[in-house]
Amino acid sequence: MDDHLLVIFPHPDDEAFGVSGTIAQHTKKGLPVTYICLTLGQMGRNMGNPPFATRESLSLIRQKELEDACAAVGIQDLRQFGFRDKTVEFEDEKFLADQFLAVIDEVKPTRIITFYPGYSVHPDHEATARAVVRAVGSMPEMDRPELLCVAFAKNSEADLGAPHVVTDISDVFEEKMNCIKAHRSQTQWLVDSVDKDPAMLAWVKNERFWRYPF
Amino acid sequence: MIGISYTLFKNLNYNKYIYSALECEDMQLIQTNEVQETLDQLIGKELYLHLETTNGAYANHNNESVLTVNAYIRNGKVTPLSGKIMGSGPYRVGLKIELGWIYAEGLTHWEIDSEGRLLMAGHDAEGRLAVALQLSSSPFDV
Ligand SMILES: [Zn+2]
């Protein structure tokens, strides 16, 4: 059986900062990655100064950025679920979980990466994480893929302890930076700070995950 | 204009300075007389409204003394009875409707896009959208 990685996030660029190195390492081994991206990040705030985007053109820009970002790290299976930014938490949670289960059933991932519920700050992140946990939790224990979560709330380490998995992604640093840069409308600040700030560089070179305890 | 911007965008390298080349394809600094003329043409028409204000989903995460505040209406159906742009910049726009008002403060940029929609927005010094008021004769995408 192929070692299939399934990544589930609500916004284009959610994969870039914390997970794209892990994704690139996986695809470099010739292993499949499926990325479910729930929205287009249509309600993003960065429009540029002077503005390069409007509330209405941002979705077109971010669509292209997402496709470029996937290409940068070798993702060939991108599933866009067509929800609207900032509305994910108002969707029916079981409806979301069932949509995830359909994909899980299809691609049979060995590992799923999403946000950690309660520790991912943005309401769309939290809603996505809860629905993924619900989906995986509804599976018989022996069939469950490993669920790795990204947490970045300030109290993450205090509450959850040190990350269970820390992956050095130096070998795919270039691919990761290309993924981050592909989301150019949103990530200018990050690219600038990686160039200038050694702490930021170290942060980008390591990806941190907590295993979800069912 | 979206189409042109998008084509240009696809061919651009990652360079913030190149974004400025797109400025003419996107939003302009508000010229009150032009915005007022556009508002005047919308009076009495049945329109779709996008009204939004935000300080970002991470406002409180970045600074605990700040309240994260966001609100938007997408595709409210309205018929303005009158409309005015006021102030010396950033600007305020108020539209009278049958049973009340539509109001936005902090507007800095505007555009009539390729679909003929009036897009107005207020951006902070970092280029982040803080307020938007948009009117269209057909529904906005959801
Ligand atoms: Zn996000």
Side-chain angles (χ1 to χ4, degrees):
Chain A
M1 190 173 78
D2 275 345
D3 178 12
H4 202 123
L5 172 63
L6 174 60
V7 178
I8 307 177
F9 287 127
H11 307 126
D13 84 5
D14 285 339
E15 85 293 348
F17 314 122
V19 186
S20 62
T22 300
I23 292 171
Q25 286 178 338
H26 203 78
T27 59
K28 263 200 163 173
K29 287 185 217 152
L31 297 169
V33 174
T34 296
Y35 179 16
I36 298 176
C37 191
L38 275 72
T39 83
L40 267 176
Q42 300 95 327
M43 296 301 286
R45 288 183 81 210
N46 291 325
M47 301 296 179
N49 183 11
F52 57 81
T54 69
R55 174 55 72 235
E56 302 311 312
S57 67
L58 192 61
S59 57
L60 293 173
I61 290 170
R62 295 198 72 176
Q63 173 71 38
K64 177 72 171 92
E65 289 176 350
L66 177 59
E67 290 165 11
D68 290 348
C70 286
V73 290
I75 297 172
Q76 290 179 357
D77 185 19
L78 169 66
R79 314 275 180 111
Q80 294 187 256
F81 273 17
F83 293 101
R84 188 171 177 87
D85 196 5
K86 289 196 189 288
T87 65
V88 178
E89 65 181 323
F90 305 111
E91 297 285 351
D92 181 62
E93 191 181 286
K94 184 172 184 303
F95 171 69
L96 281 176
D98 286 346
Q99 291 209 29
F100 298 155
L101 275 174
V103 177
I104 292 169
D105 202 45
E106 178 195 332
V107 306
K108 302 197 168 31
T110 45
R111 212 187 321 156
I112 298 179
I113 296 179
T114 189
F115 284 115
Y116 203 115
Y119 297 91
S120 52
V121 184
H122 191 297
D124 288 342
H125 298 175
E126 297 289 349
T128 302
R130 286 194 302 270
V132 173
V133 166
R134 179 172 180 151
V136 176
S138 74
M139 299 170 71
E141 203 174 332
M142 53 184 293
D143 295 343
R144 279 180 206 151
E146 179 181 40
L147 181 54
L148 292 182
C149 302
V150 174
F152 69 99
K154 291 206 172 76
N155 54 339
S156 300
E157 293 225 11
D159 289 5
L160 304 172
H164 303 138
V165 178
V166 179
T167 307
D168 179 349
I169 59 87
S170 300
D171 59 316
V172 290
F173 182 72
E174 203 181 317
E175 286 88 343
K176 176 166 187 171
M177 287 310 294
N178 286 338
C179 176
I180 293 172
K181 288 174 183 175
H183 296 287
R184 45 181 82 81
S185 71
Q186 307 299 307
T187 55
Q188 177 75 55
W189 66 273
L190 182 71
V191 175
D192 287 348
S193 60
V194 170
D195 286 344
K196 283 183 216 128
D197 181 356
M200 201 65 171
L201 181 64
W203 181 74
V204 169
K205 281 191 170 170
N206 287 291
E207 297 186 347
R208 298 153 200 82
F209 305 98
W210 282 263
R211 216 170 271 116
Y212 191 82
F214 283 101
Chain B
M1 273 181 266
I2 288 174
I4 296 164
S5 306
Y6 185 49
T7 313
L8 277 171
F9 196 93
K10 277 202 301 195
N11 298 324
L12 293 180
N13 293 315
Y14 182 68
N15 182 334
K16 67 178 164 185
Y17 298 106
I18 295 179
Y19 280 138
S20 61
L22 293 176
E23 189 195 13
C24 57
E25 306 297 340
D26 273 306
M27 297 200 120
Q28 302 288 319
L29 288 168
I30 281 178
Q31 303 294 323
T32 47
N33 54 338
E34 293 175 17
V35 172
Q36 187 61 57
E37 279 171 32
T38 307
L39 290 174
D40 291 344
Q41 288 164 19
L42 298 176
I43 302 313
K45 296 198 171 127
E46 191 169 87
L47 302 170
Y48 296 87
L49 168 75
H50 173 97
L51 178 64
E52 168 186 1
T53 182
T54 176
N55 63 356
Y58 301 104
N60 178 263
H61 178 73
N62 294 332
N63 179 349
E64 280 174 24
S65 68
V66 173
L67 190 68
T68 296
V69 178
N70 270 239
Y72 76 82
I73 297 167
R74 193 148 174 94
N75 289 327
K77 217 170 183 182
V78 297
T79 302
L81 302 176
S82 67
K84 258 190 184 183
I85 181 161
M86 298 297 287
S88 50
Y91 300 93
R92 301 174 298 279
V93 167
L95 298 159
K96 199 170 196 174
I97 53 176
E98 194 192 4
L99 297 174
W101 288 91
I102 295 160
Y103 172 86
E105 179 164 18
L107 299 166
T108 57
H109 290 80
W110 83 301
E111 174 188 359
I112 297 174
D113 78 355
S114 59
E115 294 177 44
R117 304 177 291 200
L118 171 60
L119 311 182
M120 295 174 283
H123 302 108
D124 68 13
E126 279 80 51
R128 293 172 304 196
L129 184 144
V131 60
L133 171 51
Q134 306 181 158
L135 292 161
S136 169
S137 57
S138 57
F140 292 100
D141 294 341
V142 283

